[in-house]
Amino acid sequence: MSDLKLRPEISFAQTFLCSAFAACFAELCTIPLDTAKVRLQLQKKTASGDGVSVSKYRGLMGTVVTIAREEGLWALWNGVIAGLHRQCIYGGLRIGLYDPVKTFLVGSDFVGDIPLYQKIFAALLTGAIAIVVANPTDLVKVRLQAEGKLPSGVPRRYYGALDAYCTIVRQEGLGALWTGLGPNIARNAIVNAAELASYDQVKETILKIPGFTDNIFTHILAGLGAGLFAVCIGSPIDVVKSRMMGDSAYKNTVDCFIKTLKYEGFLAFYKGFLPNFSRLGSWNVIMFLTLEQAKKVFIREVYFD
């Protein structure tokens, strides 16, 4: 027995459950910031009476306050049901598949630290696979969050997540649920790689520093690092994705990108950057903290040679 080592082990089904629970909890806590981010990304400047261009929403807290004042506090949780649907599927799959895909890429007999490029490739694959399945939930979430930007007096298009699914299929066809799939695959594959691979790498690096252990403080630092990487890399794609899903005025991804760049400039792709980082930073911290604790319920140690 003295020549054997201990290795933590957890099944895919257990990892999926832990990941879905952690992602849903993080979504529930941070969706007001996500709603503010979507509104900032979708807004376009309008001319005031004296011809000066003005924006309805200004900054993270300004947007949150404006939405709460004009539409009620619960409007900040618009799309939360679809958001939870999304996280159950997308969150569970992208995180649940990450370790098995890493193991497949390096081989089950691999010993030592997995190279960063393998972690990135594994996260790209799992992010793309997961969002192909979960795209309808993402579409409905964005549509519901965007509802508040409709002019006063105009009736709402949807009255909840289930009604949105049915209305979209009835009016636009089943394929419409996968509107924006191209930028969504690109965005989620890249953001997933930024989040999972960076969390994995940052945590691994921190644990090599004397005095640091696998505890809550380490998880917070790694989660913040993952959120920062994800926002810096994924913001332009996220803006295009939100506009494609929330506004039917664009023909395709390229058309959306060109029109945004032409009429609003490059910085338009980083609209909502601070609320996006506030949201993704806090989302990653809450999600990874919850995930690490939830996995302890199922994880067991087995002996191997």
Side-chain angles (χ1 to χ4, degrees):
M1 183 69 73
S2 59
D3 294 330
L4 299 180
K5 298 178 181 179
L6 282 172
R7 177 179 62 195
E9 188 175 272
I10 185 170
S11 70
F12 168 73
Q14 291 168 338
T15 304
F16 179 89
L17 286 174
C18 292
S19 304
F21 172 74
C24 285
F25 182 66
E27 185 77 7
L28 197 61
C29 293
T30 62
I31 198 168
L33 298 178
D34 191 51
T35 299
K37 178 207 73 173
V38 170
R39 296 290 182 87
L40 284 168
Q41 289 176 336
L42 291 178
Q43 83 167 339
K44 297 170 184 175
K45 290 184 178 180
T46 56
S48 62
D50 54 6
V52 178
S53 294
V54 295
S55 298
K56 179 179 181 180
Y57 302 117
R58 295 184 180 181
L60 172 62
M61 292 311 299
T63 303
V64 169
V65 170
T66 299
I67 294 171
R69 185 179 63 246
E70 295 184 355
E71 304 168 43
L73 187 63
W74 289 111
L76 292 166
W77 274 268
N78 277 350
V80 67
I81 300 301
L84 294 177
H85 292 167
R86 178 186 187 272
Q87 293 302 340
C88 274
I89 300 170
Y90 175 68
L93 284 175
R94 75 182 180 103
I95 301 167
L97 288 170
Y98 179 61
D99 282 333
V101 171
K102 275 196 306 182
T103 302
F104 173 78
L105 292 174
V106 299
S108 57
D109 297 328
F110 182 85
V111 178
D113 295 337
I114 296 175
L116 178 59
Y117 75 90
Q118 295 281 34
K119 296 174 183 176
I120 293 173
F121 188 46
L124 285 170
L125 285 176
T126 60
I129 292 168
I131 200 59
V132 168
V133 178
N135 197 82
T137 63
D138 211 13
L139 175 76
V140 169
K141 175 188 168 187
V142 171
R143 291 276 182 99
L144 289 172
Q145 287 177 318
E147 280 285 81
K149 76 185 185 75
L150 297 174
S152 178
V154 176
R156 291 191 172 277
R157 293 177 294 173
Y158 315 114
Y159 297 91
L162 184 59
D163 178 63
Y165 289 119
C166 295
T167 301
I168 291 169
V169 171
R170 184 173 64 251
Q171 295 182 353
E172 304 173 47
L174 183 63
L177 290 173
W178 278 267
T179 297
L181 181 60
N184 219 8
I185 288 176
R187 185 257 180 191
N188 284 280
I190 292 170
V191 169
N192 194 51
E195 285 181 355
L196 295 188
S198 63
Y199 180 84
D200 211 353
Q201 192 69 25
V202 170
K203 180 182 171 183
E204 185 180 288
T205 302
I206 291 174
L207 291 176
K208 291 178 180 178
I209 301 173
F212 281 88
T213 59
D214 192 1
N215 57 22
I216 289 177
F217 182 63
T218 298
H219 302 158
I220 290 173
L221 290 179
L224 285 172
L228 180 61
F229 276 110
V231 177
C232 289
I233 295 170
S235 274
I237 303 170
D238 193 40
V239 169
V240 172
K241 182 213 76 169
S242 292
R243 292 193 172 195
M244 285 284 293
M245 289 182 167
D247 192 337
S248 59
Y250 303 109
K251 298 176 183 177
N252 51 48
T253 305
V254 176
D255 181 57
C256 180
F257 181 87
I258 292 173
K259 284 182 177 177
T260 302
L261 182 63
K262 180 179 179 181
Y263 296 113
E264 300 177 59
F266 178 75
L267 290 180
F269 293 112
Y270 284 89
K271 272 188 176 180
F273 181 86
L274 287 178
N276 204 6
F277 173 64
S278 299
R279 195 259 173 173
L280 267 183
S282 57
W283 191 96
N284 275 278
V285 168
I286 294 170
M287 194 280 289
F288 282 116
L289 276 174
T290 307
L291 177 63
E292 297 276 12
Q293 299 308 307
K295 285 169 72 174
K296 290 179 180 178
V297 175
F298 296 104
I299 204 162
R300 63 192 179 93
E301 293 185 328
V302 296
Y303 288 99
F304 72 104
D305 291 323

